């Protein structure tokens, strides 16, 4: 498996992770499908979602793959009145990543990042390594520190 930019950044920061990969199914890019293929508990596999607030701009959220984001909770965490998901067509320009391969690590800019608070219940969580079909599993506190995130209720 080729090292992704996410892995290089984690290596440079001295953060321990395990890399894993799976065969991408273009018809099913869901995190649930990825978790099944990798044999990872759905509650410990996190998807990365990007939203835009009215005043402060872009916001990044990481939540378990089977959960739905509560937009009111995101807005509250971000100090916004309202937030909405960005369009898939804007994903690459905003983050440097494509749908199905968006990682909270190594985006084009450092955006305010929020991780669902239940991540703290796990020793390890899995997030995208910045490419479809490639994931990294790491300690949620290491991830939080590296991306300067906050653990908050998001679902």
């Amino acid at each position: 498996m080729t090292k992704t930019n996410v892995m290089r950044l984690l290596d440079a920061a001295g953060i321990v992770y395990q890399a894993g990969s799976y065969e991408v199914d273009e018809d099913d890019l869901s995190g649930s499908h990825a978790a099944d293929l990798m044999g990872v508990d759905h509650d410990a596999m996190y998807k990365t979602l990007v939203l835009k607030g009215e005043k402060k701009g872009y916001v990044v959220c990481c939540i378990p793959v089977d959960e739905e984001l509560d937009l009111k909770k995101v807005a509250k965490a971000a100090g916004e009145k309202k937030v909405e998901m960005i369009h898939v067509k804007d994903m690459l320009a905003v983050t440097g990543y494509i749908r199905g391969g968006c990682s909270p690590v190594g985006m084009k800019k450092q955006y305010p990042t929020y991780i669902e608070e239940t991540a703290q219940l796990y020793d390890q969580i899995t997030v995208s390594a910045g490419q479809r079909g490639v994931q990294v599993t790491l300690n949620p506190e290491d991830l939080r520190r590296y991306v300067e995130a906050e653990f908050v209720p998001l679902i």
Side-chain angles (χ1 to χ4, degrees):
M1 175 184 347
T2 313
K3 273 204 187 236
T4 65
N5 192 43
V6 168
M7 293 175 205
R8 285 189 284 278
L9 289 167
L10 294 173
D11 286 342
I15 295 173
V16 177
Y17 65 89
Q18 291 82 43
S21 62
Y22 60 92
E23 195 64 40
V24 176
D25 177 354
E26 292 297 329
D27 296 327
D28 190 352
L29 293 174
S30 74
S32 303
H33 187 64
D36 289 343
L37 291 174
M38 288 186 63
V40 174
D41 177 350
H42 287 220
D43 293 336
M45 173 81 94
Y46 280 60
K47 58 188 172 185
T48 304
L49 304 170
V50 183
L51 301 92
K52 188 165 189 198
E54 292 177 326
K55 290 191 219 98
K56 299 178 183 175
Y58 298 105
V59 177
V60 177
C61 294
C62 296
I63 63 170
V65 292
D66 291 344
E67 299 293 342
E68 291 287 321
L69 204 53
D70 181 325
L71 295 180
K72 285 190 171 85
K73 288 180 180 175
V74 176
K76 182 178 180 208
E80 292 275 7
K81 273 201 169 113
K82 189 175 145 208
V83 293
E84 58 186 36
M85 295 289 295
I86 67 167
H87 293 285
V88 172
K89 66 178 175 48
D90 298 329
M91 178 79 74
L92 184 61
V94 171
T95 67
Y97 294 122
I98 58 170
R99 177 173 171 258
C102 188
S103 177
V105 176
M107 287 193 181
K108 282 185 169 181
K109 290 186 180 147
Q110 177 75 41
Y111 298 113
T113 303
Y114 303 96
I115 302 170
E116 165 52 35
E117 63 185 1
T118 55
Q120 298 171 95
L121 301 173
Y122 297 92
D123 292 332
Q124 305 280 303
I125 62 169
T126 301
V127 297
S128 174
Q131 259 176 265
R132 286 182 180 163
V134 187
Q135 303 281 324
V136 289
T137 301
L138 71 171
N139 178 278
E141 179 57 28
D142 288 345
L143 175 64
R144 185 204 64 75
R145 266 198 313 269
Y146 185 76
V147 299
E148 298 174 18
E150 286 179 58
F151 289 120
V152 294
L154 294 171
I155 52 180

